[in-house]
Amino acid sequence: MITAYTDRSDIKMMAFKAGATEFLTKPIDVAEFAARTKNLVALRESQLMQRDRARLLATQVEEATMRITQREFETLTVLGKAAEYRDPETANHILRVAHLSKLISGNLGMDANEQDMIFHAAPLHDVGKIGIPDSILLKPAGLTDDEYNLIKTHTIIGYNMLKDSSSLYLRAGAEIALTHHEHYSGAGYPQGLLGDGISLYGRIVAVADSYDAMVTRRPYKEPWPVEKALKIITLEKGRQFDPIIVEAFLALPHEAETLYERYTD
Ligand SMILES: [Fe+2]
Ligand SMILES: [Fe+2]
């Protein structure tokens, strides 16, 4: 602001309040004007630099977060693959269970974050099979009681592998590994948990995993027709499975069909 008023401090105050950064009085002293202008330009330049730096930092933080998330997904994939090498179940089984679980959670009204969580954690449900000997894991039929009891420990092995991770996805995987063979009625394993005492993720994956096992080929059985599988799921409503989750599952026949076209064994 340049003005001829020299002794009006109220005007000066008003000018500063209105956003003036400098206040010069007439007549202008050329040297002072040049010095003050130089200061203002320097100030503006440093403001712009700071703004650019803030933008650069924000971009860098965003990129770093993306890289971490990417690595987390890589960890999940590697773990899933490790389990797959040991397990006669296929990669597509894991993918179908992930998709089915996500679809069910959507139908249950779970938010996008939780749907994303179950999608990435469900593939870890059988990761504990890494700890089960091949001679038992790959046996086509006729397991002894002891052998069957050993297979059941894949739930606890998986849980112990994942439970202490700082990753939310891996911890959700631990929860699912531990609870995906629990029954709503309390007759499941390893803890014989009852109803809502079973983790919600575990109850969802239990339906998706069982359905997929029924309609696909396994070393010990041929694939069952969809109608037969749906009948059994319905029959087990309130017994093996949470009734609400069975309802949510039965409400998605179309999406489930497309999944089986996309990820065939
Ligand atoms: Fe399992
Ligand atoms: Fe499975």
Side-chain angles (χ1 to χ4, degrees):
M1 165 117 188
I2 298 170
T3 174
Y5 294 107
T6 51
D7 51 357
R8 293 282 306 274
S9 63
D10 54 332
I11 288 185
K12 215 176 196 174
M13 279 321 292
M14 273 167 64
F16 281 127
K17 273 187 189 153
T21 41
E22 275 293 359
F23 198 93
L24 296 172
T25 46
K26 287 179 183 170
I28 296 271
D29 176 329
V30 176
E32 188 190 4
F33 181 78
R36 296 221 186 170
T37 312
K38 217 173 131 190
N39 282 347
L40 284 177
V41 170
L43 178 69
R44 183 64 186 143
E45 274 173 352
S46 95
Q47 279 174 345
L48 289 174
M49 255 168 67
Q50 267 191 2
R51 195 191 62 191
D52 287 350
R53 181 144 178 74
R55 277 189 191 154
L56 181 72
L57 280 175
T59 317
Q60 283 175 342
V61 167
E62 207 174 288
E63 280 171 6
T65 312
M66 258 170 62
R67 273 201 302 276
I68 291 170
T69 314
Q70 205 50 48
R71 264 180 225 162
E72 213 172 331
F73 290 152
E74 264 177 43
T75 312
L76 293 167
T77 313
V78 169
L79 267 173
K81 276 189 185 161
E84 201 185 295
Y85 271 108
R86 296 291 328 283
D87 193 340
E89 293 173 10
T90 67
N92 279 340
H93 161 70
I94 285 169
L95 277 172
R96 290 189 304 258
V97 171
H99 280 285
L100 279 177
S101 301
K102 184 180 176 178
L103 287 170
I104 296 171
S105 62
N107 261 7
L108 286 169
M110 285 159 74
D111 67 30
N113 276 339
E114 283 179 308
Q115 290 181 41
D116 179 61
M117 186 63 73
I118 199 165
F119 179 76
H120 290 290
L124 300 171
H125 64 276
D126 272 343
V127 78
K129 284 187 179 169
I130 289 173
I132 308 295
D134 276 349
S135 56
I136 297 170
L137 200 59
L138 305 178
K139 206 169 167 178
L143 289 172
T144 67
D145 282 353
D146 281 352
E147 287 170 337
Y148 189 49
N149 284 334
L150 196 69
I151 284 206
K152 286 178 177 177
T153 63
H154 78 276
T155 50
I156 297 163
I157 297 169
Y159 175 71
N160 285 333
M161 281 171 66
L162 306 169
K163 71 176 183 353
D164 295 323
S165 172
S166 59
S167 153
L168 286 177
Y169 292 106
L170 295 187
R171 286 214 303 275
E175 205 177 296
I176 291 169
L178 185 66
T179 56
H180 71 286
H181 288 292
E182 295 290 0
H183 288 190
Y184 196 73
S185 64
Y189 66 85
Q191 299 178 93
L193 297 174
L194 187 72
D196 293 352
I198 307 162
S199 121
L200 177 61
Y201 289 159
R203 276 178 277 148
I204 294 172
V205 173
V207 174
D209 188 35
S210 305
Y211 175 76
D212 193 69
M214 289 182 220
V215 296
T216 53
R217 181 171 287 103
R218 290 297 156 99
Y220 50 88
K221 67 169 255 305
E222 286 302 303
W224 295 353
V226 169
E227 300 71 41
K228 183 180 172 186
L230 291 178
K231 212 170 141 188
I232 290 177
I233 298 271
T234 312
L235 219 87
E236 288 298 328
K237 192 171 148 183
R239 283 146 67 166
Q240 184 173 350
F241 307 121
D242 181 342
I244 293 167
I245 291 166
V246 170
E247 286 305 323
F249 171 74
L250 294 175
L252 41 94
H254 177 67
E255 288 102 319
E257 246 170 64
T258 356
L259 262 182
Y260 283 83
E261 281 157 22
R262 236 164 85 200
Y263 304 107
T264 40
D265 285 332

